[in-house]
Amino acid sequence: MPVANLAGAIALLASGTYQVRRPGLTTLVDGVMVAAPEASFSILASVQPLSGRERQLLPEGQRSEERLLVVTATELRAADVSASREGDVLVYRGESFEVEAVERWDELGGFWKARAAKVGR
C-alpha cells in the first residue's frame, strides 16, 4: 500500500515559515581548514517546545536547556563530526537553535522530525 505524502498536512499544521542557515562543509586545503560559504533558506514547519516526556529522554545535564521540536517536509541536518559538518541553525523568535538530532520519516509520509538546542547555552 503506497504511503501518502504528508507535506499538505504539515502545511496545515505549520506554526510559520522559518529561516535556516546551513554552514558550509569544512575541508582541509594545503594544511589549512577552510569553510565553504553558508547557505540560507526558508522552511515551513511546526515548531514547538519539547514535551516533558521528550525532555526525560535527554541526558540529565541537558534537561533544563531550551530545546525545540521541528517537524517539516524539508530536510534538516544535524552536526556530523566525521563529515566535518556543523548542524543547521533555525532562527525562531529571533534566537538561533542548532539542529542536534534528526529523524527521517519516509514510511509515514516523507517528513523530517528534528530536535534543536538554543545556541549560546
Side-chain angles (χ1 to χ4, degrees):
M1 173 180 239
V3 175
N5 185 315
L6 293 180
I10 290 171
L12 288 172
L13 299 172
S15 55
T17 300
Y18 303 94
Q19 200 65 25
V20 174
R21 298 188 314 267
R22 178 166 288 161
L25 291 177
T26 302
T27 56
L28 190 62
V29 178
D30 296 326
V32 177
M33 295 301 286
V34 177
E38 178 178 272
S40 183
F41 54 94
S42 297
I43 64 168
L44 185 62
S46 172
V47 177
Q48 51 207 260
L50 286 186
S51 70
R53 180 178 224 177
E54 291 164 324
R55 284 189 178 283
Q56 289 300 316
L57 297 175
L58 295 171
E60 214 169 292
Q62 297 177 8
R63 292 180 187 160
S64 63
E65 296 173 358
E66 190 172 359
R67 285 187 165 66
L68 300 173
L69 173 67
V70 182
V71 179
T72 181
T74 305
E75 177 185 1
L76 293 175
R77 297 179 185 167
D80 183 347
V81 175
S82 66
S84 299
R85 182 181 72 210
E86 296 178 46
D88 289 344
V89 177
L90 173 84
V91 178
Y92 177 72
R93 296 184 176 172
E95 302 281 349
S96 295
F97 290 80
E98 184 176 0
V99 175
E100 61 183 9
V102 177
E103 295 177 26
R104 184 175 182 173
W105 288 77
D106 282 337
E107 65 279 357
L108 291 177
F111 67 93
W112 300 82
K113 180 180 170 184
R115 186 179 71 231
K118 190 172 184 179
V119 174
R121 36 191 169 144

